[in-house]
Amino acid sequence: MANMAQSIRMALHYGEKHLDVKDVFGQDVGAPMGGVFTATQGLETSWNTPLDERGIVGTAMGIAMTGDICVAEIQFCDYIFNTIDLLKIAGNTNWVTNGNVSLPLVLMTPVGAGIRGSVYHSHSFDAIASRLPGWKVVMPSNPLDAYGLMLSAIKDPNPVMFLKPKALMRVRGEELIPGEPANEKELKAMIDQPVGGSAGWKAKWPNLEEHLVEIGKGKITRQGSAATVVTYGRHVLMCNQVADDLKKEKGIELEVIDLRSIYPYDWELIKTSIKKTGRVIFVNEDTEVTNFAEHLSYRVTQELFYELMARPKVLAGKNLPGIGLHANLEEASVPQVPEIKEEVISLLQEIP
Amino acid sequence: MGKKLATQSTSQSRSKSKSKSKSGSSGLPLSKQELTKIHDLMVKSRALEERMIKIYKVGEAYFWIGGPGEEAFGVPLGMLANKGQGFDHDWLHLHYRCSPTLIAMGMDFLTPIRLIMNKATDKCTGGRNFSNHYSFPEWNVAPVTSPIGVQYSIGIGTAWAQKRRKAKGITIITGGDAGSAEGDFASGLIWASRKGSELPMLITVQNNKWGISTHYDEQHGEAHVSDRGIPFKMRTAVINGNDPIESYIRLGEEMAYIRKTGKPVVLEASVSRLFGHSSADGVNRRDELDCLEEFEKLLLKKDVLTEKKIKQIKDDYDKEAQNAQIKARAELSPEASTIWDHFYVNSESGDWRDF
Ligand SMILES: Cc1ncc(C[n+]2csc(CCOP(=O)(O)OP(=O)(O)O)c2C)c(N)n1
Ligand SMILES: [Mg+2]
């Protein structure tokens, strides 16, 4: 079973082979490294850029303007902040040109904490990304979805931001990517660059097939009727665990929704679930003040107010300037399993 | 490990070098006292970095990044800096390979070791940041930041404030070769060199030929990063940063020029990256020229030091570094509740739950 780094790599290979991707680029994206998380190893179209994030985003926009298809990377989303005005322009180009000019590009970047990445390898970007109208924003929680979302992102005529939960890059999925060999070791031997380096090495790609995850469509990962938990990225795994624990310990069944797309988002899925449960908590790790979940929560109060049995909750990262390196600090800064569980229990206990 | 860097032979300068020889009995252009001082600090800095790498390797730190291989440049820079707080002292905007400079300025071993081990006693970051991310207001040492290159624009501000006062201090900036592609580097050049508003800045680049896994040639078209100062009519220099004698003399000259004229210099130093980029790429010794080994060979040849003396210096610092680790190990970790500390100055709360 592929891990997420391998699945992204396979999606990019599928992209360059079948979807006309002409460039995959960013810092240390090409040989010899193939990306700091190895997600671009062995690709034919990958190359290394100067250490210049604005150059990377600008280049992607220019390539897209010509109609060529590219996937660009910002090495860590912590370093994307000096490109914000270019991201604004990428988002508003189709709109401001009256539909004359569109920018079909994919920008991928690792996000989130969970690897003891300290202040500058732990930022999240989903809340800010949701404030860049004109972009589509996706964030997978497992390798198969990463593959399917990447192919959809490449095919989409709009700028798409592909947020990679960095703590999940080595996590394996439960479902095979179509064409992927069932044996993990076999896959590794085919597409993982040998430790010695990239010289003389070529990936042997499996015969991959198209698999699309529609942008804007979420997924129910645990079914239940006690309360709805809406999340994405690595917090899907944590929320699933909370659901499993509560089921085992108390027989309580939560409904967990993996949003997968942050914008546009699957309102129908959220709405249907909340109508069933009457209780909802939104969980993510970006900072809590003007968090994207606050928009969802607001919408819930406007459209589902009289169906609610409890106040909607948002559990997100503390509104801090950064995430400290020591485990005590990191764990106190972004939601962890025990805190999610506690919040869910208090949501369940609320009497309307 | 004795591979010579090609850059050694290209060592050159566009400013006239007028290194006056104060040659001692060794026949080298520095006194014996200066040579042994430089050597001592280089050994000390290396001992610290090797200890920090060990701390990482045994799992007592999450991450290591640092400056082994840059001692021949960093130590002279620290020795020559006018250390202190306030406008009449230099401001230093350093990056994450700056331990040699800070050791030369007098940093002890406990401070960096507490930092890499994220102890509550880590006075630079409170257990929050990666190794070598120092901040020493008492020495005008600006915070080392992870985002590459920002020091080249932040340094403009300290130089501006110094210039306003006609202060004695200058602004010193260090950074990597790859990082000079960031717009901040261009900002530094443009702002430092405006006619009539020139700033007292020593803008340096430590060219180790790599940005993580990407070679210099794949990132730059210019022969030397420092050449980018030429169209701005800035004084530029390329030095062999693997040679502590050349570094000491040339840095001294360039700093004297800045102190005298108030005008900026762009200086590039070729250095080695002895243990790769960071713990992320394995932190194993690389086959690059080792400035310390080379310097020791020279000092032995010129009878400035003996093998025995060198070994003793090294053993003493190794011991000191080990003791610092033992001491730090016994210290407390930062408490979860400290995450809100220093959100604002003077303990004003930034937690909305308190509003
Ligand atoms: C703005 C920014 N982009 C990317 C990174 C990730 N990164 C850390 S070090 C590095 C390479 C730096 O190379 P160079 O400037 O030559 O310095 P060296 O590490 O070689 O001393 C990169 C890309 C970063 N820290 N900051
Ligand atoms: Mg470099």
Side-chain angles (χ1 to χ4, degrees):
Chain A
M1 217 64 79
N3 64 32
M4 197 182 285
Q6 289 172 320
S7 77
I8 292 171
R9 206 187 298 160
M10 288 192 276
L12 294 171
H13 166 71
Y14 188 91
E16 60 187 18
K17 192 150 176 231
H18 301 290
L19 304 176
D20 212 18
V21 169
K22 289 200 163 46
D23 296 284
V24 176
F25 61 99
Q27 293 156 11
D28 305 289
V29 157
M33 189 172 257
V36 285
F37 291 99
T38 72
T40 51
Q41 284 183 349
L43 299 172
E44 269 168 32
T45 58
S46 64
W47 51 278
N48 295 318
T49 66
L51 206 175
D52 172 16
E53 287 74 18
R54 288 181 58 79
I56 293 168
V57 175
T59 300
M61 290 165 64
I63 290 172
M65 227 174 257
T66 71
D68 280 352
I69 296 175
C70 68
V71 178
E73 175 172 87
I74 297 297
Q75 194 165 69
F76 291 94
C77 83
D78 311 66
Y79 304 126
I80 204 171
F81 293 93
N82 71 348
T83 74
I84 290 277
D85 66 326
L86 287 165
L87 299 178
K88 286 291 292 178
I89 295 169
N92 69 30
T93 296
N94 192 61
W95 180 85
V96 80
T97 61
N98 210 18
N100 287 332
V101 181
S102 58
L103 295 176
L105 64 89
V106 181
L107 186 64
M108 56 179 187
T109 188
V111 296
I115 62 161
R116 304 283 177 256
S118 171
V119 185
Y120 267 90
H121 302 81
S122 301
H123 276 89
S124 289
F125 200 64
D126 43 297
I128 293 180
S130 75
R131 296 183 52 79
L132 294 169
W135 282 83
K136 293 188 177 178
V137 184
V138 302
M139 167 134 66
S141 70
N142 62 71
L144 182 64
D145 282 354
Y147 184 86
L149 284 169
M150 181 57 86
L151 297 197
S152 294
I154 291 168
K155 286 186 157 195
D156 200 282
N158 298 286
V160 181
M161 195 170 298
F162 187 99
L163 304 178
K164 307 193 265 193
K166 67 173 86 76
L168 299 187
M169 295 302 279
R170 300 273 168 270
V171 176
R172 295 182 191 285
E174 287 160 6
E175 294 167 282
L176 283 177
I177 288 158
E180 174 194 346
N183 184 331
E184 227 165 83
K185 287 203 180 111
E186 191 184 337
L187 178 69
K188 184 176 166 56
M190 290 171 81
I191 69 165
D192 279 9
Q193 183 176 298
V195 179
S198 63
W201 172 76
K202 267 185 90 150
K204 267 178 47 205
W205 298 102
N207 207 358
L208 297 161
E209 292 162 33
E210 185 159 293
H211 166 78
L212 299 174
V213 170
E214 193 183 333
I215 297 178
K217 286 278 175 271
K219 186 178 152 187
I220 292 174
T221 60
R222 293 291 183 275
Q223 285 199 335
S225 56
T228 302
V229 183
V230 181
T231 185
Y232 41 79
R234 75 181 175 111
H235 280 79
V236 171
L237 279 67
M238 294 194 205
C239 293
N240 283 344
Q241 192 189 322
V242 169
D244 295 346
D245 289 355
L246 286 180
K247 189 169 172 180
K248 214 161 64 197
E249 293 159 15
K250 300 181 195 272
I252 294 168
E253 296 193 326
L254 301 176
E255 183 135 298
V256 180
I257 293 178
D258 176 359
L259 213 48
R260 303 197 290 195
S261 288
I262 290 160
Y263 211 92
Y265 58 86
D266 197 342
W267 178 243
E268 275 313 307
L269 190 69
I270 298 172
K271 191 167 76 177
T272 309
S273 178
I274 297 174
K275 279 186 165 172
K276 180 170 66 174
T277 63
R279 296 173 196 264
V280 63
I281 179 169
F282 298 92
V283 182
N284 67 63
E285 62 178 311
D286 207 337
T287 44
E288 58 201 345
V289 175
T290 66
N291 185 285
F292 171 62
E294 294 184 333
H295 159 71
L296 297 176
S297 174
Y298 171 74
R299 189 165 177 187
V300 169
T301 63
Q302 294 304 297
E303 298 186 23
L304 299 167
F305 192 72
Y306 297 106
E307 330 234 359
L308 292 176
M309 310 290 283
R311 292 166 296 165
K313 273 182 180 276
V314 171
L315 178 61
K318 300 286 189 302
N319 192 41
L320 294 164
I323 291 170
L325 174 53
H326 193 279
N328 290 351
L329 307 179
E330 179 177 321
E331 283 165 15
S333 303
V334 290
Q336 308 291 322
V337 168
E339 192 188 2
I340 300 171
K341 200 165 163 185
E342 227 167 81
E343 290 292 316
V344 167
I345 289 170
S346 93
L347 177 76
L348 292 167
Q349 286 171 343
E350 186 153 328
I351 298 164
Chain B
M1 229 133 285
K3 208 170 82 182
K4 294 269 176 206
L5 273 192
T7 42
Q8 263 199 329
S9 55
T10 66
S11 171
Q12 52 167 286
S13 164
R14 286 190 172 75
S15 55
K16 287 261 153 28
S17 172
K18 26 182 199 346
S19 24
K20 349 177 205 2
S21 163
K22 26 177 170 172
S23 159
S25 53
S26 65
L28 295 169
L30 295 179
S31 69
K32 185 172 171 187
Q33 204 188 0
E34 286 167 321
L35 292 167
T36 51
K37 179 88 193 150
I38 292 172
H39 171 260
D40 184 89
L41 291 167
M42 286 173 70
V43 176
K44 187 172 183 183
S45 177
R46 182 69 59 86
L48 169 67
E49 288 289 10
E50 286 181 350
R51 176 53 50 184
M52 294 209 287
I53 289 169
K54 280 196 190 115
I55 289 172
Y56 165 76
K57 285 196 166 173
V58 299
E60 291 186 35
Y62 293 117
F63 186 80
W64 170 85
I65 192 160
E70 298 204 1
E71 294 88 354
F73 172 81
V75 162
L77 183 67
M79 290 170 71
L80 292 162
N82 168 356
K83 179 179 90 175
Q85 192 164 26
F87 291 99
D88 284 330
H89 300 280
D90 296 344
W91 265 91
L92 291 104
H93 302 261
L94 308 173
H95 68 313
Y96 47 79
R97 305 209 189 275
C98 62
S99 45
T101 300
L102 292 167
I103 283 290
M105 290 172 73
M107 179 175 70
D108 63 357
F109 280 174
L110 253 182
T111 302
I113 285 175
R114 284 168 166 158
L115 169 55
I116 193 174
M117 293 175 81
N118 319 125
K119 291 298 177 178
T121 47
D122 154 30
K123 68 167 188 162
C124 292
T125 86
R128 288 175 176 159
N129 218 337
F130 279 159
S131 68
N132 269 300
H133 283 57
Y134 305 107
S135 62
F136 297 116
E138 65 275 28
W139 294 346
N140 287 346
V141 172
V144 173
T145 63
S146 300
I148 298 281
V150 299
Q151 65 274 27
Y152 291 104
S153 49
I154 297 170
I156 299 165
T158 54
W160 180 258
Q162 287 166 327
K163 184 187 175 72
R164 183 197 339 271
R165 288 169 177 80
K166 299 190 173 63
K168 277 198 214 130
I170 65 170
T171 287
I172 297 164
I173 308 177
T174 71
D177 48 302
S180 69
E182 294 283 3
D184 302 85
F185 188 78
S187 298
L189 297 181
I190 291 169
W191 288 65
S193 60
R194 291 182 301 151
K195 219 179 266 174
S197 300
E198 290 91 345
L199 298 176
M201 290 169 83
L202 176 63
I203 298 173
T204 78
V205 174
Q206 284 75 79
N207 188 347
N208 61 14
K209 295 277 183 223
W210 294 101
I212 306 189
S213 73
T214 310
H215 193 261
Y216 182 86
D217 294 339
E218 221 180 324
Q219 309 213 27
H220 291 270
E222 72 272 31
H224 288 291
V225 177
S226 57
D227 290 347
R228 287 158 66 189
I230 297 170
F232 297 96
K233 303 200 167 47
M234 290 167 80
R235 179 155 146 149
T236 69
V238 180
I239 68 168
N240 178 6
N242 273 321
D243 179 347
I245 299 175
E246 179 175 335
S247 293
Y248 187 81
I249 293 169
R250 297 301 317 281
L251 279 168
E253 288 169 358
E254 300 309 316
M255 286 160 90
Y257 164 83
I258 301 165
R259 293 189 201 288
K260 190 165 156 221
T261 63
K263 291 188 175 164
V265 168
V266 194
L267 180 141
E268 173 175 341
S270 51
V271 295
S272 296
R273 202 179 63 166
L274 276 191
F275 286 84
H277 177 68
S278 71
S279 51
D281 58 8
V283 63
N284 294 313
R285 183 62 188 253
R286 306 293 163 104
D287 186 19
E288 293 200 20
L289 183 136
D290 181 340
C291 59
L292 181 55
E293 275 177 18
E294 294 293 313
F295 192 40
E296 287 179 346
K297 274 187 230 160
L298 180 72
L299 296 181
L300 287 170
K301 199 167 104 191
K302 300 284 182 185
D303 289 329
V304 178
L305 283 175
T306 60
E307 299 260 16
K308 196 168 153 230
K309 178 74 185 156
I310 290 175
K311 184 165 182 319
Q312 185 208 323
I313 298 171
K314 194 166 161 25
D315 289 348
D316 287 351
Y317 283 134
D318 281 346
K319 192 83 207 132
E320 189 182 333
Q322 192 185 22
N323 287 339
Q325 178 188 6
I326 292 165
K327 180 157 197 309
R329 189 187 282 150
E331 293 175 347
L332 295 175
S333 296
E335 304 264 353
S337 61
T338 65
I339 58 173
W340 292 101
D341 291 357
H342 309 295
F343 189 106
Y344 289 126
V345 293
N346 296 333
S347 312
E348 185 182 341
S349 175
D351 185 354
W352 53 271
R353 294 162 190 84
D354 296 337
F355 301 162

